[in-house]
C-alpha cells in the first residue's frame, strides 16, 4: 500500500498530496494515485472519469478555469518542469469564498493538488518546458466552459512571475464579480 501525506490548506476541501518516493541509484518509484487512499483523504468516494495532459513553455498562464455546469474536481500533478498552481473558491456560502491558495508543483517535489468542484483553477509555468497531468471527475463540456481573469484585483493572486503568454480566452476573461450570475456552486458543510 502506498503512503500519501495529506497536507491541508486554509480552504476546506482543497488539499495537497505528497506521495512517498522510493529512490535509489536506478532512479525512483512512487504511486501517484490509489483510489482507496485518495477517497479516504477526500472524505468520500471520487470517481475520476477523464485524464488530461498539457505541455507548455515558460511563462504560459492557463486559467482561471471552471465549468459552469458539470463541474469538475481535479487531481493535478507535474511530470516535467514546474508550475505555480492556484485554486480560487467559488462556492457560494463558503467562509473562504473568493480566496485563493497556491502551491508549487514540480517533477522534482512530486506534490499533487486536489481541486474539488466549485473552484476555479489555473497555473503559470516556471520552467522552460512543463508537462501537467490531471484527473477529472467529470467530462469536459465545452458549452459549460467558464473562466475568470487571472489578475482580478479583488481576488489578489500573488503570481510568482508575470505571464508571457495567455490564450485569447484567458486574456479577455471577466472579473469574478462579473460572473456571479453564471455561478451555481454551493458550499456544503
Amino acid at each position: 500500500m502506498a503512503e500519501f501525506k495529506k497536507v491541508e490548506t486554509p480552504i476546506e476541501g482543497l488539499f495537497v498530496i505528497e506521495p512517498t518516493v522510493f529512490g535509489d541509484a536506478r532512479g525512483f518509484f512512487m504511486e501517484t494515485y490509489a483510489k482507496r487512499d485518495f477517497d479516504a483523504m477526500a472524505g468520500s468516494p471520487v470517481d475520476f472519469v477523464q485524464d488530461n495532459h498539457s505541455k507548455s513553455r515558460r511563462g504560459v498562464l492557463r486559467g482561471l478555469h471552471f465549468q459552469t455546469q458539470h463541474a469538475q474536481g481535479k487531481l493535478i500533478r507535474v511530470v516535467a518542469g514546474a508550475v505555480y498552481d492556484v485554486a480560487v473558491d467559488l462556492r457560494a456560502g463558503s467562509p473562504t469564498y473568493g480566496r485563493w491558495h497556491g502551491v508549487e508543483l514540480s517533477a522534482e517535489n512530486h506534490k499533487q493538488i486536489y481541486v474539488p468542484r466549485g473552484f476555479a483553477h489555473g497555473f503559470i509555468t516556471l520552467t522552460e518546458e512543463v508537462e501537467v497531468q490531471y484527473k477529472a471527475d467529470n467530462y469536459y463540456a465545452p458549452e459549460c466552459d467558464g473562466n475568470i481573469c487571472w489578475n482580478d484585483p479583488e481576488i489578489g493572486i500573488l503570481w510568482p512571475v508575470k505571464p508571457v503568454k495567455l490564450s485569447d480566452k484567458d486574456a479577455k476573461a471577466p472579473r469574478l464579480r462579473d460572473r456571479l450570475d453564471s455561478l451555481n456552486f454551493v458550499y456544503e458543510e
Side-chain angles (χ1 to χ4, degrees):
M1 183 152 113
E3 295 179 27
F4 298 95
K5 179 181 175 187
K6 178 182 178 181
V7 180
E8 299 286 351
T9 71
I11 301 176
E12 186 179 330
L14 180 71
F15 58 88
V16 175
I17 299 169
E18 296 177 355
T20 301
V21 180
F22 302 94
D24 61 26
R26 299 170 297 166
F28 72 86
F29 172 84
M30 68 178 179
E31 283 188 26
T32 60
Y33 173 77
K35 181 166 179 44
R36 68 178 171 264
D37 296 328
F38 182 82
D39 288 351
M41 287 185 280
S44 63
V46 177
D47 293 317
F48 293 112
V49 297
Q50 183 174 321
D51 282 1
N52 301 310
H53 187 137
S54 71
K55 183 175 181 177
S56 305
R57 300 205 184 292
R58 182 187 295 271
V60 169
L61 191 141
R62 293 180 185 260
L64 300 161
H65 301 153
F66 57 90
Q67 289 190 173
T68 56
Q69 302 291 321
H70 312 290
Q72 293 178 309
K74 299 174 182 176
L75 178 60
I76 300 122
R77 70 188 189 105
V78 171
V79 296
V83 303
Y84 187 69
D85 197 274
V86 172
V88 179
D89 189 351
L90 301 180
R91 302 169 297 175
S94 169
T96 53
Y97 175 81
R99 287 189 38 204
W100 64 277
H101 182 76
V103 63
E104 184 173 318
L105 305 178
S106 73
E108 303 302 315
N109 71 20
H110 307 289
K111 292 180 182 180
Q112 301 177 58
I113 189 167
Y114 175 61
V115 179
R117 293 178 181 194
F119 284 73
H121 172 257
F123 62 82
I124 189 162
T125 58
L126 303 174
T127 54
E128 287 307 313
E129 285 197 351
V130 175
E131 293 191 43
V132 175
Q133 291 183 342
Y134 62 95
K135 296 181 169 305
D137 70 357
N138 210 343
Y139 295 104
Y140 175 64
E143 69 280 7
C144 300
D145 207 16
N147 63 348
I148 53 177
C149 64
W150 64 276
N151 60 350
D152 186 329
E154 292 176 16
I155 298 171
I157 298 171
L158 300 175
W159 297 99
V161 295
K162 187 173 180 171
V164 173
K165 182 74 174 158
L166 295 163
S167 70
D168 289 341
K169 175 181 90 169
D170 291 342
K172 297 173 184 173
R175 291 172 64 166
L176 176 56
R177 68 174 157 182
D178 298 327
R179 292 298 317 238
L180 296 179
D181 62 337
S182 65
L183 299 178
N184 62 353
F185 307 121
V186 178
Y187 175 72
E188 296 176 17
E189 292 187 55

